[in-house]
Amino acid sequence: MIEGQAPAGVSEITSRLVSFSGPNGMQVVGYIDEGVEATWNERVAILAPRYGETKKNNLQLAYTLVANGFKVLRIDQTNHFGESDGTMDQFTLPGATDDLLAAVDYIDRYFEPDALILVTSSISARCGIRASALDCRITGLVNLVGVVDLDRTLQAIYQRDIFGEHVAGASEGSIDILGFEIDAANFHKSLVDAQMQDLRGTIEDAKKIKVPVLYLYAERDLWVNIESAKKVISQCQKGSFRVVPNVGHEVHEQPEAVRFTFDEIISFCRQGLPSDRLEIAKACKTILIQQNKIERARLQKILSFSNSEADFWGDYLGKFGIMEQAKYYIEYFSKMGTLIGAFRPADVILDAGCGNGFYGVGVLRSLSQHLPLMDSSACPFHYCGIDLTDTGLLRSYSRHVDEIVELQRESLVQLKGVSFSYRKLNFDLVGGAEGRPLPFSNGSINKVCSSLLISYLKEPVDLLREFYRVLKPGGVAVVSSMKPGCDMTVVYHDSVAAAYTEGNDRDAKVLLSAAGKIKVKKDVELYHFFTRQELSDLARDAGFTDIEVYRSFGDQANLMRIVK
Ligand SMILES: C[S@@+](CC[C@H](N)C(=O)[O-])C[C@H]1O[C@@H](n2cnc3c(N)ncnc32)[C@H](O)[C@@H]1O
């Protein structure tokens, strides 16, 4: 893609909020994104959000479409997360399909376009297939990583037969679908009645679609079976199938994959237009950022997060235990340990955001191997775990005590020269002009581990400045964050599979639910996942110059090693 090749005037994109009547009289809320009238190619694209996301997540694609001459309607689904009417627990796929049909009505009535293309992804793509089978005003369908067999996809995610269990009477009122509690009976019955629960129904719909369909399959998609997706597309009269290389279900994970999908979508949408052979234009970054800011503020205002942060993390940590059996998590902490380096007698270690104390356990095990003569040290080796939650601190403490007892029983080491302490502290109140300091004197700490914490802080640079202050010269901190657009499905798949092997399938379900809530907070930008560059910039702002950044956790997290 190149910048500046867009039809004249597309740097003047406007987004106006609209609403119209959807299923059962509920209001569907959306944005119309458009450039100046002279640049319009008479085609409109309707963008449906992914399940659990809002129209804000489609902003970049919408503005890229507008930069290439289209008008766009981005909607929030009803009975879903976002601004449209209804509550998420009542979400159904037939209901989401009705939203799309209402959007088609709206566009047809007010714009009378030459072409109307639906762009849908993941679970909502199933609704796109149904809508395209029903409504001949839809002239093209883009299906990005579309779920074609919901039953199978949910089995792949949860490693359980969710619907089978529901039919057998196991679900009590609600089921968790990717982090959201949904009315089980309503969701399942509506799927079965509408024949949308499995591959058979999707194939029947595909046979009815006469317009061009583009399926974009993510090469490393764990949730959608490639053969099933191909089968569906082969039943469409004008189906085409493209593979997005080197990426999983969350294509936003890779900038190259995003570019690839945007190019494919734009080329598909403008087929038959004179502009077909023009280079694809990018959306202007400045106006994208401006609009994103407006929508973020709007979303933060309308969404209420009932839990306090401490309660939220307390709950989350209670469910996070199963992650510790996951291969990628173990590998990630092993990398963390290597980057932090070996311990010496009298070292002082700070575990900032210690959570359930997993790192502290690693510290103790490492001590048993490397410091057989700890008790001869005049100054004790000290580990201090700090976190926001009592739950995490208590769990850290009790497991560390267990570990110490175990080590002493094995007589591997007499841990007399080792002490552990714990502190409850909100890092949002640390550092900065108003904040208080970390409870350590200047240059008193040898090593800091801060695993997956800074993404959840309001001003992470303040904490990094404090790390700089308390570290000894030559002291090391390792600070990590999930990467932006990380594909949590990779991580969950791994931990859910591990939990299943251990017989902890209920925990797996609960972890998925909690992780869904983190994603929501990330989407509304209360949380921030950092790129490698952003991590380095933060460290530099905090005073560090010796900075290295690595990738770990199934390629989903960035780890930064900084030395004072
Ligand atoms: C994703 S967990 C990571 C836990 C652990 N470090 C690990 O990697 O397994 C995030 C941790 O940060 C803690 N946390 C979040 N916000 C915090 C804050 N404002 N102050 C202190 N701790 C916080 C949470 O309580 C939680 O233990």
Side-chain angles (χ1 to χ4, degrees), residues 309-310 313-314 316-317 320 324 329 332-333 336 351-359 386-389 392 425-429 449-454 456-458 480 518 527:
E309 280 293 281
W313 285 111
Y316 180 76
L317 291 173
F320 194 68
E324 296 181 4
Y329 188 73
Y332 158 79
F333 264 105
M336 181 73 111
D351 188 359
C354 62
N356 289 332
F358 189 73
Y359 175 68
I386 299 187
D387 204 274
L388 183 64
T389 71
L425 184 63
N426 181 352
F427 289 122
D428 277 332
L429 306 177
C449 163
S450 183
S451 164
L452 308 178
L453 164 76
I454 60 164
Y456 314 115
L457 302 183
K458 294 191 177 85
S480 68
I518 291 190
Y527 295 162

Side-chain angles (χ1 to χ4, degrees), residues 389-404:
T389 71
D390 296 320
T391 349
L393 292 170
L394 276 171
R395 203 170 291 116
S396 298
Y397 168 73
S398 55
R399 71 195 301 193
H400 294 163
V401 167
D402 285 353
E403 198 71 26
I404 288 170

Side-chain angles (χ1 to χ4, degrees), residues 346-350 379-384 438-448 466-473 475-476 564:
D347 269 357
V348 180
I349 315 291
L350 164 62
C379 235
F381 174 99
H382 187 76
Y383 162 98
C384 176
L438 279 176
F440 302 98
S441 52
N442 294 355
S444 58
I445 303 272
N446 299 82
K447 295 173 192 300
V448 175
E466 275 296 285
F467 288 168
Y468 189 81
R469 181 185 66 78
V470 299
L471 274 172
K472 292 183 175 168
V476 179
K564 178 166 171 185

Side-chain angles (χ1 to χ4, degrees), residues 74-86:
R74 277 181 288 139
I75 61 163
D76 281 341
Q77 309 266 200
T78 59
N79 286 329
H80 192 265
F81 178 48
E83 288 192 75
S84 295
D85 281 353

